[in-house]
Amino acid sequence: MPESGPGPGPGPDVTAPGSGPAAGTATSGTEDAPGAGAGTGDAPEAGTGDAPGDRPWDGVGGAPVDPRMFDGAVAAVALLAGPEGRVLYTNSAFTRLFGPRRIGLPARAAFPDADGHRFLAVVDSVRVTGRARQVVGERRTDPGAPGQARHFVYSCSPVTTDHGPGILVLAMDTTAETLTLQRYEALVSAVSQMVWVMGADGSMEEIVAGWEELTGAPWHPRADAEWYAHIHPRDREKLSGAWRRAAAGGGRPRVFEATFRVRAADGSYRHLTTRSVPVLRDGRLTEWVSATADVEDSWGTQLRERLLGQVAAVSGASLHEAFAEVVKVVVPELTDACLILLLSHEGWPLPEHAEVTARRIASATRPGLPAPPALRGQRVAVTPAVRAVLDRREPVTFPLEPGAPVPPGLIPTVSERWLHASGATSLTLIPLIVDDLVLGYAATSSNGDTPVPGPAETELLREVLHHAQRPIRKVVDLQQARRTALGLQRAHLTEPPPVRGGTLAARYQPASASGEIGGDWYDAFTLPDGTLVLGIGDVAGHDLTAATAMGQMRSMLRALAYAGGPGARPDAVLARLDHVSAGLGTAPLATALHLVLHHRPDGTWLMTWSSAGHPPPLVVPASGDAGYLPGAADPPLCVASDLLRKTHAHVLGPGDTLLLYTDGLIETPSAPIDEGQRRLAAEATLCRRQALPDLLRILQGLSDHRDDTAMLAFRVDEEDRADEED
């Protein structure tokens, strides 16, 4: 055969049995593969070994090898014999992998390749020691063309031939497998992932490094508790639980996936994601192959978007309700506990010498911490330290020593005690700003083994709370409008005048919902002759328009009643009011009750009244059960202004109490109105001896506060009866 093409050369030995029918005991060495790109190790010199006196091997005995048995073998096979290692045989697979070799030539002549000396050194070593060798090599048919490289593994084993002691060379082409591995290693390196393998015995090998660069700690070769020292305390239990479930897998391990935080070299925590795939052989778990990537940036972006979306969806009719939703967004995602405190002063900057307080209105704590103190309006005076935080409008973190007292004046005393009991490690104050208005501040804490938040965590928390200004702005605007409307409403609801021979009391209670601005009203005044005029009504709607219409209708009714004098019939006054209101378009719908009371010489009061769709008056007699005055109500105002209305009459005796009210006192969504009327009459009967202000306060408790309520009560003096008897 022609002497062309490079031959195999020795590569790094791995412990493995020799090949061939008479293989000896395998040995290991440090030889590198031949050809371009081979390593730097050197093969042992020929003639060296561990046989006594380094005498040449003189054969293994037994039947000689018949090389024809390898003619159709997939493996590349060559047979050498004699002290010179003459080539006795090569099969076609050997020729394809290494090129043709001339039969009969000594090994040194048959393998003249540039790196052939390494292969020859392995052959000499086997001939001298009688021990098989297995090596990994690389061959290139053209050293200038890297793409033509062929990778292989081969062994040299001592055998007996027809020509005496010989060496059987077996080689396998591993090019495809080697290239696949190289591509995989390049791929995982390109995506910045750490790759590692964990054996079934818990041993761990880092394939693609990165752990020490991330954490500053060397790679730990065992899967044991030392790993958890680097994991965020809040993630340890979740991570170990997920691993146990994956390892058990219902009897068959399954893919493990988890995202968790690891302490970086600078002390901060970064989010990593890991995917571990179990490798099974013959149905048994042999190892886990895992890839771990740093996902801090993408995780932070996703968390930020999710939290900003949640806080933007916050609703609530009051600041209490809105901030109660806000604290649930940030706990426990960003902090262990969050307390919202609102300032008592709305102006900014804060008056330098004025006493300003901050009141607790909302709080939340993560599971596992002691229950927070109840929200009971506890306040704290705004100290210079807090003023400085609010002036700078930037978060400030106060590290806390375990067991040490919390710096005073930052939060209410009850919250200081809670921080101490819950093992707080830090307290962060974050100003709450809407437009240019500083509403107050949030106080957040890290507790127990939770690390003190770093700048990135604090900035995200500040951003989320700042983003809440949009829904909070709506609440602030709504409350401002409601305060304006309530101010307008209360300006019309004047104190009842003193009355000779009787007592008057009034009460107005707005709805509990901040967005509800009702049109309820009452009125009481006396004419020049002492006649008492009472009125109560309700304009449909719950907004500023309703409140404005209420003021207009109350003023018009007062003017019409005063102009009509003591002889004007109540039905005539309501009819005129109905006509004027409809003509001016004052309101779409309104109810009203107009009463005129004349004090008579016998101490009684003659009451005449007319009702425009309003609930009937309730009379609580000096003795006996309370009852509603008979007489059906006429239609409401602004519905049919041409209808004739009626006037009713009733006499109030000494000690009798007259109660006028709006429907918010008796109406609830869960019960019919007649049930509310029965409750009102029964409660008024029980409390007949209470002073009028106390009676109205007690009756106010019957309302569910969904709607605003107005009440007006008149009680005839019992002294009048005594005066008449005298």
Side-chain angles (χ1 to χ4, degrees):
M1 292 185 181
E3 299 179 8
S4 63
D13 288 354
V14 295
T15 303
S19 304
T25 303
T27 63
S28 61
T30 59
E31 295 84 8
D32 293 318
T40 59
D42 295 324
E45 293 296 329
T48 63
D50 55 3
D54 290 340
R55 287 181 292 101
W57 166 70
D58 58 2
V60 296
V65 173
D66 183 0
R68 291 174 300 178
M69 63 187 296
F70 302 112
D71 286 349
V74 176
V77 179
L79 187 63
L80 311 179
E84 296 180 328
R86 292 182 177 276
V87 179
L88 299 183
Y89 169 84
T90 60
N91 67 356
S92 57
F94 190 94
T95 301
R96 287 194 300 272
L97 183 59
F98 301 111
R101 305 292 161 165
R102 180 178 299 180
I103 302 300
L105 285 181
R108 295 190 180 279
F111 299 97
D113 313 87
D115 53 2
H117 66 281
R118 297 182 179 179
F119 167 65
L120 298 175
V122 174
V123 171
D124 290 342
S125 173
V126 173
R127 189 183 71 253
V128 171
T129 65
R131 295 181 179 179
R133 299 286 298 276
Q134 179 174 312
V135 294
V136 177
E138 176 186 284
R139 171 183 178 274
R140 290 178 180 164
T141 56
D142 181 356
Q148 296 181 3
R150 307 295 295 177
H151 300 268
F152 54 88
V153 59
Y154 71 93
S155 65
C156 295
S157 305
V159 295
T160 298
T161 72
D162 290 336
H163 298 273
I167 296 174
L168 181 68
V169 180
L170 293 177
M172 289 295 295
D173 189 338
T174 60
T175 301
E177 292 82 358
T178 301
L179 292 179
T180 299
L181 179 60
Q182 290 175 345
R183 289 165 182 162
Y184 174 74
E185 291 176 344
L187 175 63
V188 296
S189 299
V191 296
S192 303
Q193 288 191 340
M194 293 175 278
V195 180
W196 47 277
V197 175
M198 186 180 74
D201 61 352
S203 60
M204 300 178 67
E205 179 184 359
E206 192 176 27
I207 305 301
V208 178
W211 176 261
E212 185 169 357
E213 181 181 356
L214 172 65
T215 65
W219 176 260
H220 189 63
R222 298 290 304 175
D224 53 27
E226 288 192 29
W227 277 107
Y228 280 86
H230 302 279
I231 307 300
H232 193 288
R234 297 278 78 78
D235 295 343
R236 292 171 185 171
E237 184 175 351
K238 177 181 66 175
L239 185 63
S240 61
W243 177 258
R244 287 193 299 268
R245 289 190 295 273
R252 183 181 180 88
R254 59 192 180 198
V255 174
F256 166 75
E257 293 182 279
T259 299
F260 52 95
R261 288 165 287 182
V262 170
R263 187 175 63 249
D266 62 0
S268 65
Y269 280 87
R270 299 187 66 83
H271 282 79
L272 305 184
T273 184
T274 286
R275 179 180 174 88
S276 299
V277 180
V279 178
L280 304 177
R281 295 189 180 93
D282 298 327
R284 299 182 62 183
L285 176 69
T286 58
E287 62 186 11
W288 296 81
V289 179
S290 305
T292 300
D294 186 328
V295 295
E296 178 63 30
D297 293 340
S298 61
W299 181 90
T301 299
Q302 293 173 4
L303 176 66
R304 175 182 177 275
E305 293 176 352
R306 176 165 57 84
L307 294 184
L308 292 182
Q310 291 178 2
V311 80
V314 164
S315 60
S318 67
L319 289 176
H320 297 69
E321 295 174 359
F323 277 117
E325 294 185 34
V326 170
V327 295
K328 293 177 182 178
V329 173
V330 301
V331 176
E333 289 279 18
L334 299 179
T335 185
D336 287 340
C338 181
L339 174 66
I340 302 295
L341 300 105
L342 291 189
L343 300 178
S344 59
H345 195 283
E346 293 186 355
W348 193 261
L350 296 178
E352 185 175 353
H353 301 293
E355 181 178 351
V356 180
T357 61
R359 177 170 54 95
R360 302 171 69 241
I361 66 161
S363 68
T365 59
R366 68 167 171 81
L369 293 178
L375 294 170
R376 294 174 179 168
Q378 298 92 341
R379 294 178 178 270
V380 61
V382 175
T383 61
V386 174
R387 284 177 180 261
V389 173
L390 301 180
D391 284 337
R392 289 196 300 269
R393 303 192 178 194
E394 292 292 338
V396 175
T397 296
F398 300 87
L400 304 178
E401 293 294 332
V406 177
L410 301 180
I411 53 178
T413 303
V414 64
S415 297
E416 291 180 6
R417 291 196 294 265
W418 182 86
L419 286 178
H420 185 271
S422 61
T425 56
S426 72
L427 175 65
T428 301
L429 303 187
I430 305 172
L432 299 174
I433 303 171
V434 175
D435 295 337
D436 196 44
L437 177 64
V438 180
L439 295 180
Y441 58 97
T444 66
S445 67
S446 56
N447 301 72
D449 54 4
T450 301
V452 174
E457 292 93 339
T458 301
E459 175 56 26
L460 179 56
L461 181 58
R462 184 207 63 80
E463 183 180 6
V464 170
L465 290 174
H466 179 72
H467 202 68
Q469 70 171 313
R470 296 179 182 177
I472 298 300
R473 174 78 267 176
K474 296 178 182 179
V475 176
V476 171
D477 290 343
L478 182 60
Q479 288 191 337
Q480 183 61 46
R482 186 171 188 256
R483 283 195 293 267
T484 301
L486 289 176
L488 173 64
Q489 202 163 22
R490 293 186 185 279
H492 290 286
L493 303 180
T494 55
E495 286 292 324
V499 179
R500 183 177 182 276
T503 305
L504 275 172
R507 184 180 181 92
Y508 173 76
Q509 181 67 44
S512 58
S514 298
E516 297 295 310
I517 307 170
D520 291 21
W521 58 271
Y522 65 82
D523 194 13
F525 62 93
T526 57
L527 298 177
D529 67 344
T531 299
L532 179 61
V533 180
L534 304 180
I536 195 166
D538 184 3
V539 176
H542 294 86
D543 52 21
L544 188 57
T545 301
T548 303
M550 174 276 299
Q552 293 174 334
M553 296 194 75
R554 176 184 178 277
S555 297
M556 286 191 295
L557 180 57
R558 169 178 276 224
L560 291 171
Y562 195 92
R569 290 172 55 88
D571 61 334
V573 174
L574 281 186
R576 294 184 66 185
L577 175 64
D578 195 5
H579 181 75
V580 173
S581 298
L584 297 177
T586 304
L589 179 70
T591 67
L593 193 63
H594 177 55
L595 302 93
V596 178
L597 294 98
H598 298 276
H599 191 194
R600 303 198 299 189
D602 62 355
T604 63
W605 290 73
L606 175 62
M607 178 181 74
T608 56
W609 83 93
S610 182
S611 174
H614 203 80
L618 176 68
V619 174
V620 186
S623 61
D625 294 335
Y628 295 94
L629 296 181
D634 296 326
L637 303 173
C638 307
V639 173
S641 58
D642 294 332
L643 285 177
L644 294 178
R645 297 183 177 276
K646 298 181 290 294
T647 292
H648 309 277
H650 181 77
V651 175
L652 297 175
D656 290 351
T657 301
L658 171 69
L659 177 67
L660 309 181
Y661 55 92
T662 56
D663 57 7
L665 187 64
I666 56 175
E667 282 188 340
T668 62
S670 59
I673 192 170
D674 56 349
E675 181 178 327
Q677 288 180 312
R678 286 194 296 270
R679 290 202 319 270
L680 175 60
E683 189 69 19
T685 300
L686 291 174
C687 303
R688 73 170 81 243
R689 296 300 178 186
Q690 297 284 343
L692 286 188
D694 294 333
L695 173 64
L696 297 185
R697 177 181 53 79
I698 294 171
L699 296 181
Q700 183 67 58
L702 298 175
S703 170
D704 63 0
H705 306 294
R706 293 173 180 267
D707 195 3
D708 53 344
T709 58
M711 289 185 286
L712 184 62
F714 171 70
R715 178 175 291 167
V716 179
D717 289 345
E718 293 188 288
E719 287 76 7
D720 279 5
R721 175 182 296 176
D723 292 343
E724 294 296 328
E725 291 175 352
D726 292 342

